[in-house]
Amino acid sequence: MRKGRWSSYINQKLQQSKLSTLMVTCFIAFNLLLVSVIVWLAYQSFSAVTFAEISKARLALLNESTRRGFDFITGVTGTAYALASNRELSSLLETMETGRLSQIHQRREVSRILDHTLVVSEGITSIELYTDAFNGVAVTMPDRIFPVDTISGDSWFEALEQADAAWVPLRENESGQSLIGYAQRIFDSRGGTVAYVLIRLSRADIVRRFSDMPMVLEGKVLLVDTAGNVVMQMGESDSVEGPKWSDNPTTSGGDGDSSSIIDSVWIQQHVQRGEDGFEVVSGKPGGAQLVLYSRPAMLQWRLVQTIPVHMLLSPVRHAGWQILGIAVLGLLCSALLAFLFVRRIIRPLRQLIKRMRQLEKGDFDTRVQLSFTEEYAHLAYGFNHMASQLTTLMEQVKDESRAKREAQTGLLEAQIKPHFLYNTLDMIHWRALDYEAKDISRMIVQLSKLLRIGLSGGRLFIRVRDELEHARCYVSIQSERLPFSIQYLEQIDPRIRGCFIPKIILQPFIENAVMHGHPEEGTLRIQVYMHEAESSQPDIVIRITDNGQGLPEGWELEATCGIGVRNVHQRIQLYCGKRYGVQLRDGESGGVEVTITLPRIETDEQLNLWLDGEKG
């Protein structure tokens, strides 16, 4: 029900709308849809291509940053190796056979070597030495030498026992800076571990390595070691001076945003060993993130960077708004052009509507100028032709009305005091009987019937049976006066005897047969057939045949000078229409064959319709 109401409402609105409004609206709607689809597809394609190119450029920059930024590893590992291979330091750490004063002296020398190394090494926060060689010596001044027990409880110490050196995550020191370090075992002359040297680097030291490439530090940057563990995190959520750093090397220490998605587990599952690449990861609160991982640098360490996609595409989005503005401006311009174009297209239609209204008011001389398009030219030609036809039909109707009035006037004039004529004929009839002139009396009776049926009270149509009686009276009168006999036969369909036909349509053709037939056999045979037409139209067909001389050579109905046959044909077409009328031709066995086609009119109501011109 609701759908039907909406459909009827829309149809009503469409019927009440102007064609120009509908065309402009449809044009704007189509252009809006087309422009929207094109802009959306262009923006998506441009965004995809731009995003891919930006990602490749960022990956190349990340690889270059990895290569340049991790050059400090060579210096750190070189410093640690220099300390581990320093024979003076190794000999100073062998204190088993020395006294207490010697151990104090040796400790000071070791501290001096560490201080000197720290001074000459760039980018190192501190150098610490962990050994049990000086556990029995009291510390007289602060230095960087600590017992092994200080680090034995750290999570990375066991891994160091399995290797000569390792990069390790460290807890915060007294300054509050998050550190990472490089630990190296120092061996004595017998191959045993005599000490552990730990070179500390603060997070700020590492970040400063990338300070000349600010684009690298957009988003978040993870420092990943050989095993895929996140050693350190740099980026927008943590300050360089005081970040929080977890002691667990397998997590990134983030605060629940994108860094919680990119952890050591994700890196181990997605990052291929020895390869670089990028991938888009859906972030929970921050949206999609672009994850770039560089090619491993020295020691198989690499950088993993996460950048919000909306940050990368902000210039593209700005360009998209500009394109959309240009598209809207173009749409407005196209709408204006469409309005002007439709207005020019609709102008001939409005002119045609104006002329039609003039035609409705009776101005049949109005005409439409031919338009510049083929379709409008056809419409204009059709309208002009219709107006011309209407003018012609109006003149034809006037002529037919005039002819009908003249025919009716002629019939009225023919009624020359019928009652006086009938009384006179009746008197002659009785006087003939007084003189026993029965032939004259019979002729007078037939003539009286002939005149009564012919006049018919001024009616134009009579029954078939009356028309047949009129024809018999005429034949009877002619038989009395002609020197040859007349054989008159009728074959009538009983179903049409009560139908109405125009009066006096048989007598003219019978008279022509009598006057011009001249049969060679001495007997004139006239046959009248009436039956229904074998067609879809309810028509009556009348055939009149004779055995006379036939039609003259070259005879035509339109060119005949006789008024009887032409009068019948014109009366039939006047009252019944152009489809009906009279046809004459030579009979197959000689003589003339007349065919009259009439409509089947059974009732007075149907007769009134035909006389009023509502049929035909």
Side-chain angles (χ1 to χ4, degrees):
M1 292 294 293
R2 183 177 298 176
K3 184 178 181 181
R5 288 196 299 268
W6 272 106
S7 178
S8 61
Y9 176 77
I10 293 174
N11 290 333
Q12 182 181 2
K13 289 299 182 182
L14 289 177
Q15 292 174 0
Q16 295 176 354
S17 301
K18 292 184 177 180
L19 181 60
S20 58
T21 305
L22 289 177
M23 291 179 67
V24 173
T25 303
C26 293
F27 181 83
I28 293 176
F30 175 76
N31 275 5
L32 180 60
L33 179 62
L34 182 63
V35 168
S36 300
V37 172
I38 292 176
V39 169
W40 185 81
L41 292 177
Y43 176 75
Q44 293 295 325
S45 301
F46 181 71
S47 298
V49 173
T50 305
F51 182 76
E53 294 300 323
I54 292 176
S55 301
K56 293 178 181 178
R58 288 301 185 99
L59 181 60
L61 181 60
L62 189 66
N63 283 325
E64 179 63 20
S65 300
T66 303
R67 185 185 65 81
R68 294 172 56 185
F70 285 125
D71 288 342
F72 75 95
I73 293 178
T74 305
V76 174
T77 56
T79 300
Y81 180 76
L83 291 174
S85 60
N86 191 327
R87 293 186 179 181
E88 180 183 1
L89 181 61
S90 300
S91 63
L92 291 174
L93 292 174
E94 294 180 3
T95 60
M96 293 183 61
E97 299 179 356
T98 59
R100 183 174 301 273
L101 293 177
S102 298
Q103 290 181 4
I104 293 174
H105 175 72
Q106 290 174 330
R107 180 167 184 155
R108 290 177 178 175
E109 289 296 322
V110 171
S111 180
R112 183 186 59 79
I113 294 174
L114 296 178
D115 291 339
H116 176 75
T117 304
L118 180 61
V119 171
V120 299
S121 300
E122 181 183 0
I124 296 177
T125 302
S126 65
I127 301 176
E128 300 171 357
L129 188 69
Y130 295 87
T131 180
D132 291 334
F134 305 108
N135 287 346
V137 179
V139 180
T140 58
M141 55 187 338
D143 56 14
R144 295 179 178 86
I145 301 173
F146 306 95
V148 178
D149 294 340
T150 307
I151 61 173
S152 61
D154 292 342
S155 59
W156 51 266
F157 186 75
E158 295 181 0
L160 183 61
E161 290 293 322
Q162 307 297 325
D164 293 342
W167 287 91
V168 297
L170 302 177
R171 292 188 300 270
E172 296 180 1
N173 60 1
E174 292 79 0
S175 63
Q177 289 184 330
S178 176
L179 304 177
I180 61 172
Y182 182 77
Q184 174 82 42
R185 288 201 295 174
I186 300 176
F187 299 97
D188 56 13
S189 58
R190 293 182 295 274
T193 302
V194 68
Y196 301 91
V197 62
L198 179 60
I199 300 177
R200 292 180 179 270
L201 295 94
S202 67
R203 186 173 184 272
D205 292 334
I206 298 177
V207 172
R208 274 193 294 270
R209 299 286 179 171
F210 305 97
S211 59
D212 57 338
M213 289 170 284
M215 293 182 65
V216 177
L217 297 182
E218 290 182 357
K220 293 187 178 181
V221 180
L222 306 179
L223 178 62
V224 181
D225 63 8
T226 306
N229 298 323
V230 179
V231 178
M232 188 173 60
Q233 173 179 310
M234 301 172 286
E236 57 189 6
S237 64
D238 296 328
S239 63
V240 174
E241 289 78 9
K244 299 293 183 180
W245 186 248
S246 173
D247 203 22
N248 186 0
T250 61
T251 61
S252 63
D255 54 359
D257 53 6
S258 63
S259 61
S260 64
I261 301 173
I262 311 303
D263 54 11
S264 59
V265 177
W266 188 94
I267 294 173
Q268 292 172 3
Q269 292 176 353
H270 293 78
V271 177
Q272 297 182 3
R273 188 175 184 86
E275 298 293 334
D276 59 351
F278 58 89
E279 185 175 343
V280 178
V281 179
S282 298
K284 296 177 182 178
Q289 303 281 331
L290 174 64
V291 181
L292 305 115
Y293 46 91
S294 66
R295 192 176 293 108
M298 197 172 292
L299 298 180
Q300 295 300 310
W301 283 23
R302 70 174 82 208
L303 293 179
V304 177
Q305 185 179 15
T306 61
I307 306 174
V309 174
H310 68 84
M311 180 187 300
L312 292 176
L313 294 180
S314 57
V316 179
R317 195 170 293 109
H318 179 69
W321 283 111
Q322 292 180 343
I323 295 174
L324 182 60
I326 295 174
V328 171
L329 182 61
L331 182 63
L332 294 177
C333 294
S334 64
L336 179 60
L337 293 177
F339 173 75
L340 297 177
F341 179 75
V342 170
R343 184 179 179 182
R344 180 173 178 80
I345 290 294
I346 296 299
R347 186 180 302 168
L349 282 180
R350 292 177 176 172
Q351 181 186 8
L352 180 61
I353 293 174
K354 181 180 178 180
R355 297 292 182 264
M356 290 180 66
R357 289 175 178 172
Q358 293 179 354
L359 188 65
E360 291 176 357
K361 295 178 181 179
D363 185 7
F364 296 99
D365 295 329
T366 183
R367 295 294 183 270
V368 177
Q369 296 180 355
L370 296 180
S371 181
F372 61 93
T373 59
E374 181 180 359
E375 291 77 7
Y376 286 142
H378 282 298
L379 287 176
Y381 174 79
F383 177 84
N384 295 336
H385 181 70
M386 179 188 68
S388 300
Q389 289 292 102
L390 286 176
T391 303
T392 304
L393 289 176
M394 291 293 293
E395 295 295 332
Q396 183 177 353
V397 168
K398 291 179 181 178
D399 294 341
E400 291 178 356
S401 299
R402 188 183 305 110
K404 187 180 293 186
R405 287 195 301 270
E406 292 175 356
Q408 292 175 350
T409 303
L411 289 176
L412 291 175
E413 292 176 353
Q415 298 177 6
I416 47 176
K417 298 188 180 295
H419 294 289
F420 173 77
L421 181 61
Y422 296 154
N423 292 334
T424 302
L425 291 175
D426 188 61
M427 183 183 65
I428 296 174
H429 163 66
W430 289 110
R431 180 62 61 90
L433 288 178
D434 291 340
Y435 288 96
E436 296 183 354
K438 296 181 179 180
D439 293 340
I440 296 175
S441 175
R442 186 170 56 253
M443 291 178 65
I444 293 299
V445 171
Q446 297 296 330
L447 178 61
S448 179
K449 289 182 180 180
L450 185 70
L451 292 176
R452 286 180 183 274
I453 296 174
L455 295 176
S456 302
R459 292 176 304 188
L460 301 177
F461 281 69
I462 60 176
R463 303 280 183 178
V464 171
R465 55 178 174 266
D466 296 331
E467 179 67 19
L468 292 174
E469 180 66 22
H470 183 272
R472 293 191 205 104
C473 292
Y474 177 79
V475 172
S476 177
I477 292 173
Q478 292 294 342
S479 298
E480 297 293 336
R481 58 175 291 273
L482 294 176
F484 54 87
S485 62
I486 299 177
Q487 184 179 358
Y488 178 74
L489 298 176
E490 295 178 352
Q491 291 186 6
I492 311 301
D493 189 340
R495 294 174 295 180
I496 63 175
R497 284 184 175 272
C499 294
F500 288 96
I501 60 175
K503 66 180 181 182
I504 313 178
I505 60 174
L506 299 180
Q507 183 267 335
F509 299 104
I510 296 175
E511 181 179 359
N512 283 340
V514 171
M515 301 302 296
H516 307 290
H518 306 299
E520 297 178 357
E521 304 174 3
T523 300
L524 178 63
R525 290 192 298 274
I526 301 175
Q527 296 178 335
V528 178
Y529 303 92
M530 289 190 185
H531 58 87
E532 292 182 344
E534 297 178 355
S535 64
S536 59
Q537 299 291 337
D539 295 338
I540 296 176
V541 178
I542 302 174
R543 285 196 307 114
I544 305 171
T545 62
D546 62 61
N547 62 341
Q549 298 297 323
L551 295 171
E553 185 177 355
W555 184 90
E556 294 181 359
L557 178 62
E558 292 77 8
T560 181
C561 59
I563 62 174
V565 175
R566 190 167 65 249
N567 178 271
V568 171
H569 180 69
Q570 290 177 351
R571 283 193 295 120
I572 291 175
Q573 290 196 336
L574 178 65
Y575 295 116
C576 302
K578 298 295 183 180
R579 198 167 65 86
Y580 303 99
V582 178
Q583 293 181 351
L584 285 82
R585 65 184 181 90
D586 290 326
E588 296 180 357
S589 58
V592 178
E593 179 177 332
V594 181
T595 302
I596 304 174
T597 306
L598 298 169
R600 181 168 180 168
I601 305 173
E602 299 181 358
T603 63
D604 292 331
E605 290 78 8
Q606 293 179 355
L607 178 60
N608 292 330
L609 292 176
W610 282 99
L611 293 177
D612 293 338
E614 298 183 16
K615 287 192 175 182

